[in-house]
Amino acid sequence: MSWKILLFGVINLICTGFLLMWCSSTNSIALTAYTYLTIFDLFSLMTCLISYWVTMRKPSPVYSFGFERLEVLAVFASTVLAQLGALFILKESAERFLEQPEIHTGRLLVGTFVALCFNLFTMLSIRNKPFAYVSEAASTSWLQEHVADLSRSLCGIIPGLSSIFLPRMNPFVLIDLAGAFALCITYMLIEINNYFAVDTASAIAIALMTFGTMYPMSVYSGKVLLQTTPPHVIGQLDKLIREVSTLDGVLEVRNEHFWTLGFGSLAGSVHVRIRRDANEQMVLAHVTNRLYTLVSTLTVQIFKDDWIRPALLSGPVAANVLNFSDHHVIPMPLLKGTDDLNPVTSTPAKPSSPPPEFSFNTPGKNVNPVILLNTQTRPYGFGLNHGHTPYSSMLNQGLGVPGIGATQGLRTGFTNTPSRYGTNNRIGQPRP
């Protein structure tokens, strides 16, 4: 196989040399543009040779994914160089419109048929795997679309041609035939009317066809180099991921990433979280079996669900756990001895301070209290006598009972207020 590629490469160099000499003798830029297609065939043969070398190589520790991306790089470089040649032809053609030289047609038609025969013979004799894949996977060019429209009309008349022209023709064969057709028209118009400007127009047409044919292939190979996911497999990958998520023992599938490694081969990595009691090897086998139908190079990382129970804290709390300035709390000093406590309220009595809150006889009355700061002070100072009154007077005042009047909800020293509720035999008696 390699010797055959080298043989065609040598023949290509010889043909290209002759064509370039004929381009110089005829002064035809259209034939020069068509000769660039022969130079592109040389790049195609080099890509085919690289593809054959890649198939003979095995993955190494340095290149763990193999050398398939060299094929992609070769296709990308070949198509970009062909587009640069087309841009060069467009620039030269724009200059020729200002001053059109004379075209000699002595070897114009001969060079056209030599280039056409060699290009077709090269493409039909050697199976170029990278370019064959790209020509089918990439989007159609504008030339293919227009030819497809004409082919549908022609196949409607002659149905037997549908196997040749439909669904779409090979873009390389199509551009070779279209370029040869443009050169034949150029030859006839120059021979009949000496219309030399048609040579420049044919060169522009061949350059535009070359650029339009190579551009979709450059875009496709460039996306492969950028490690993007092919659009036509995104739906299938989503379906496989949903199937993997429903496998027994699988809790979650995350961090999935799939990209194109080479032409026709996908690579990917995925993380699978499973139950604590699930069999890792069994889940790995099922996941790999599902995804291997699309992803040839797959890395699956499986880890069990590792949930942590919250630990109960015991012992003293650190000093920095609560910030007293943030929580607006202050610790109160220890209570004094029982001798200093008031027998009514069980709290220290201070004549100069407002009456303290009542503290009933509860088991936690001797615990150090923590009082929240309150910026709203009690509305003392109404001219009322603040003193210590027994519980009976408080009950007789009817606190919290609607309709009492001004004395509702206030601690006062008045003890002779009659009760509003029927008869009360315990008026004035201290509470036991």
Side-chain angles (χ1 to χ4, degrees):
M1 181 64 180
S2 60
W3 65 267
K4 187 177 180 181
I5 298 174
L6 293 175
L7 178 60
F8 273 92
V10 173
I11 298 175
N12 183 283
L13 291 175
I14 296 174
C15 290
T16 304
F18 278 105
L19 288 173
L20 290 177
M21 288 189 299
W22 293 343
C23 291
S24 178
S25 63
T26 58
N27 202 16
S28 173
I29 193 172
L31 184 59
T32 304
Y34 197 66
T35 304
Y36 283 176
L37 296 178
T38 307
I39 299 176
F40 173 76
D41 289 339
L42 180 61
F43 295 151
S44 177
L45 291 173
M46 295 175 61
T47 303
C48 188
L49 188 62
I50 291 175
S51 177
Y52 178 75
W53 178 79
V54 167
T55 56
M56 302 297 294
R57 296 294 300 243
K58 301 293 182 181
S60 62
V62 179
Y63 299 95
S64 57
F65 290 102
F67 300 88
E68 296 183 13
R69 297 185 70 81
L70 289 178
E71 298 178 347
V72 184
L73 184 61
V75 171
F76 181 78
S78 300
T79 53
V80 169
L81 289 176
Q83 294 176 73
L84 290 178
L87 293 177
F88 176 76
I89 293 297
L90 291 175
K91 190 263 291 185
E92 292 292 331
S93 300
E95 294 178 357
R96 285 208 174 193
F97 271 122
L98 301 177
E99 184 179 356
Q100 180 63 47
E102 184 180 355
I103 307 299
H104 305 283
T105 60
R107 297 177 180 177
L108 181 61
L109 198 59
V110 175
T112 301
F113 280 104
V114 169
L116 175 62
C117 293
F118 178 77
N119 292 338
L120 294 178
F121 184 69
T122 302
M123 292 183 182
L124 297 177
S125 300
I126 296 179
R127 172 65 178 174
N128 197 330
K129 179 183 175 182
F131 273 102
Y133 181 86
V134 172
S135 62
E136 296 177 359
S139 60
T140 57
S141 62
W142 62 270
L143 181 61
Q144 287 178 297
E145 292 178 356
H146 285 80
V147 172
D149 294 338
L150 296 176
S151 299
R152 291 187 184 95
S153 301
L154 183 61
C155 293
I157 302 174
I158 307 175
L161 297 178
S162 59
S163 60
I164 301 176
F165 297 104
L166 296 178
R168 61 179 183 177
M169 291 185 61
N170 189 329
F172 305 109
V173 175
L174 184 60
I175 192 175
D176 287 336
L177 295 175
F181 180 73
L183 283 172
C184 290
I185 294 178
T186 301
Y187 176 80
M188 289 187 296
L189 291 177
I190 293 176
E191 284 290 327
I192 296 173
N193 297 327
N194 290 329
Y195 189 51
F196 300 123
V198 72
D199 180 77
T200 305
S202 297
I204 294 176
I206 294 174
L208 291 177
M209 287 187 295
T210 303
F211 191 89
T213 302
M214 301 301 172
Y215 178 75
M217 301 181 187
S218 299
V219 172
Y220 183 82
S221 56
K223 289 182 179 180
V224 174
L225 291 176
L226 292 176
Q227 296 185 353
T228 58
T229 305
H232 63 278
V233 299
I234 292 179
Q236 301 178 22
L237 287 174
D238 292 340
K239 180 180 178 181
L240 292 177
I241 291 298
R242 289 193 298 268
E243 292 179 358
V244 169
S245 302
T246 58
L247 292 176
D248 185 23
V250 176
L251 297 179
E252 182 184 10
V253 179
R254 59 189 181 186
N255 297 333
E256 60 274 7
H257 178 55
F258 302 97
W259 69 94
T260 307
L261 183 62
F263 293 131
S265 61
L266 285 177
S269 62
V270 65
H271 293 179
V272 180
R273 185 168 63 94
I274 63 176
R275 294 198 310 264
R276 297 170 62 89
D277 58 343
N279 190 347
E280 297 181 2
Q281 297 300 326
M282 186 66 68
V283 174
L284 177 62
H286 285 298
V287 172
T288 305
N289 188 28
R290 293 295 179 90
L291 295 178
Y292 194 73
T293 57
L294 282 180
V295 185
S296 58
T297 305
L298 181 63
T299 301
V300 180
Q301 182 177 354
I302 294 181
F303 56 95
K304 292 189 175 181
D305 187 26
D306 189 12
W307 48 271
I308 302 176
R309 298 176 181 176
L312 296 177
L313 297 177
S314 60
V317 181
N320 57 355
V321 173
L322 292 178
N323 190 347
F324 294 108
S325 61
D326 296 339
H327 295 79
H328 302 284
V329 294
I330 56 173
M332 296 299 293
L334 296 175
L335 296 177
K336 295 183 179 181
T338 56
D339 297 333
D340 298 334
L341 297 179
N342 189 286
V344 178
T345 62
S346 300
T347 56
K350 294 183 180 180
S352 62
S353 62
E357 297 287 343
F358 288 95
S359 176
F360 296 97
N361 189 14
T362 57
K365 67 179 182 178
N366 293 326
V367 179
N368 296 332
V370 177
I371 302 176
L372 296 177
L373 292 180
N374 190 0
T375 56
Q376 299 179 356
T377 58
R378 289 185 174 275
Y380 296 118
F382 289 109
L384 302 178
N385 294 327
H386 301 289
H388 304 290
T389 58
Y391 290 146
S392 60
S393 63
M394 295 300 297
L395 295 176
N396 293 335
Q397 294 173 15
L399 292 177
V401 180
I404 300 301
T407 61
Q408 180 180 356
L410 298 177
R411 301 185 184 91
T412 62
F414 299 101
T415 58
N416 296 326
T417 304
S419 176
R420 300 272 184 179
Y421 296 92
T423 59
N424 191 350
N425 297 328
R426 298 179 62 89
I427 296 178
Q429 299 180 7
R431 182 177 179 177

